[in-house]
Amino acid sequence: KWVDQVIKQDQIDKYLINGKDFIDEDEIYSKLNSNKDCSKEKIRAIMEKSLSIQRLNFDETATLLNVTDEDMWEEMYEAAAEVKRRVYDNRIVFFAPLYCGNLCVNSCKYCGFRKENAAEERKVLTEEEIRKETDYILSQGHKRVIVVYGEHPKTDANYIANSMKTVYDVKRKSNNGKTSYIRRINVNAAPMSIEDLKMLKEVGIGTYQVFQETYHKPTYELVHPAGLKANYRWRLYALHRAMDAGIDDVAVGALFGLYDWRFDVMGLMYHTDDLERQFGIGPHTISFPRLTPASGSKLSTDSKYIVDNKNFKKIVTVLRLAVPYTGLIITARENPEVRDEVVKVGCTQLDASTKIGIGAYDKAARNEKEDKEQFTIGDKRSLDEVVNKLARMGKITSFCTAGYRCGRTGDKIMNLLESGTEGKFCKLNAVLTFREYLDDYASEETKKIGEELIKKELEEINNIEFYKNNKLLDVVNDYYKRISEGERDLYV
Ligand code: SF4
């Protein structure tokens, strides 16, 4: 009954093109089949287009997906790394996931939280429990969370809005007495109506994330046999409704391992294209989790489409080249070695100190054993350990949340990214927020390495014409001094 109440057919139909979806399986197969065995010259010309920071079209993306020559892939890895450097420089943005509930009406065959799995204990966090989880996340040094919910009447839009208010409300003092709080909440939740999404907009949602899992409809229907999620189209247009609700930062994703990875990369591109066509703005980020073993799920280990590490790197590489200025997220599902590899070729956002059990952060704070999780965590390192490793690789950790709070979202941020201007702000805010982290949360060793990196960054910043011309140098040098003296949350 609840399922029937949630789905609003008119909020699907309005986005169809002549009654059809933007995903046309025949067209995707045709693009993949007609762009095989291309010459090296053609592949290199496509890479050049990416290097000039332009989005690739479907034929070009299909051409890259079909490359079989491993030497050519090596060139593509290098090109992807260069594209990333040109748009994102050496910055990596960090976040922590906060799982608020595992009650779910759905029957996804790859997930331990599906409703038939009686082995799982079900729980929805109370306000007090959300406070405790947030407190632990803050104690690690995070400033940005993604709140995650199953699909259930007990975690409806009202619950989500209230839990977001709770997270924003928590304040915590660091060891050196500085007050910290979550500055940006992204949401990973079930597809909602425009009315419900407007409610989340009012309480300050950052990015709204809904993964299609697979764009291949027959496979989608096979692995989502019942519940709300069985409706392919309600999910396919979830982010279109978010745009109509005024949420212009949206995030797409696919769960790789359910179907052919090349098809689903194309699906992500068609999704990107349709958002741009209908709203003038593509997704803020793309995620590409891989199927991992889940309790009681045969599919999660037996799927014939499981993606190995080599092909996983190829997925990230093609995405980086196809959408040069879209953020790419790699989560702690993957182990540290895989994460390091794909950070090199294109990923821009990572989580760390990750716990995905319900109430697991508070349990960790009390040294208690964790409950079962939705999937297996591959990277259990603390935030400090990951920041330390990245700093050794010359990468600066950013806790910046300024774009959202300065109104640099949606098409504004995409235009700024395209013109290379947003990156300039990000560079400054990365230094300011990294300074805060080093002073408030880093271990002595990380602080030492981090300070070397900051010194280099500041030298570079002071020599960049853009900052001199826009009078940003005085502002940032002033902010940096004030943060070093103890002020917090200054941004440009
Ligand atoms: Fe529910 Fe999400 Fe698991 Fe599906 S994947 S059963 S929607 S928690």
Side-chain angles (χ1 to χ4, degrees), residues 104 106-108 110-111 113-114 150-151 213 229 374:
C104 193
N106 292 319
S107 305
C108 312
Y110 46 83
C111 177
F113 291 167
R114 69 190 183 285
E151 190 157 20
E213 318 297 13
K229 208 163 166 180
Q374 189 189 19

Side-chain angles (χ1 to χ4, degrees), residues 110-126:
Y110 46 83
C111 177
F113 291 167
R114 69 190 183 285
K115 77 170 191 299
E116 293 80 10
N117 196 4
E120 292 292 344
E121 198 191 317
R122 304 297 166 141
K123 191 165 168 43
V124 172
L125 294 182
T126 63

